[in-house]
Amino acid sequence: MDPGDRDDWLRMRCVLWPEGPEAEHWEEIEEFFANPAPARPAAVLVAEDADGSLVGFVELAIRPYAEGCLTDRVAYLEGWYVAEPRRGTGVGRALVGASEDWGRAQGCSEFASDADPDNGPSISAHTALGFTDAGMIRCFYKRL
């Protein structure tokens, strides 16, 4: 990811996480470029078409804990997006493979991710790439 990719990254983030306002996505993108690691995401990898246009991205972080993992330094797939016309062509697999390489380069021996329980395509994609289902949890919050 380089600063010239901001607009494409913003467009894809808005599709992946439509519940977040565009201004919030833009603020997080600007924060990424202004303050390198340990900001979250720690890294963003992109996939380009032959013409140089972005067709996918992954956002990565290092977490001290992830469900099912045993170590306290886990490479984490925070976000994973491939443009609809390019799904099923190996772009997602290549992005995850590059993410695993990134995690190993960070000294991690485990790689984790999550998906909404009702997101069948994401669950299928994770399973196809060798992820093991660590189980489903319910998260709760309370305003104080």
Side-chain angles (χ1 to χ4, degrees):
M1 177 63 64
D2 65 53
D5 295 326
R6 281 179 167 99
D7 291 339
D8 284 339
W9 185 17
L10 174 64
R11 176 183 47 78
M12 291 186 292
R13 270 181 136 240
C14 288
V15 174
L16 180 61
W17 296 303
E19 67 283 355
E22 185 174 312
E24 185 176 304
H25 288 300
W26 186 254
E27 183 178 306
E28 291 173 4
I29 288 169
E30 290 301 309
E31 177 71 17
F32 173 78
F33 287 110
N35 297 308
R40 194 181 265 175
V44 179
L45 308 178
V46 297
E48 296 180 340
D49 256 343
D51 67 1
S53 61
L54 298 189
V55 296
F57 75 94
V58 290
E59 293 187 11
L60 304 165
I62 304 293
R63 289 192 178 186
Y65 172 80
E67 293 295 328
C69 294
L70 303 174
T71 63
D72 62 359
R73 186 168 172 77
V74 180
Y76 204 89
L77 184 61
E78 298 287 346
W80 179 23
Y81 176 80
V82 176
E84 187 75 40
R86 296 302 307 272
R87 293 179 187 168
T89 66
V91 172
R93 181 176 297 276
L95 283 166
V96 170
S99 299
E100 292 168 351
D101 291 342
W102 176 85
R104 282 188 282 276
Q106 306 307 306
C108 299
S109 61
E110 294 178 294
F111 186 45
S113 183
D114 60 61
D116 286 335
D118 59 348
N119 189 339
S122 180
I123 293 166
S124 294
H126 280 84
T127 302
L129 293 178
F131 284 92
T132 299
D133 191 333
M136 187 171 28
I137 61 169
R138 304 265 328 235
C139 299
F140 300 90
Y141 74 95
K142 185 178 192 179
R143 298 201 189 280
L144 300 177

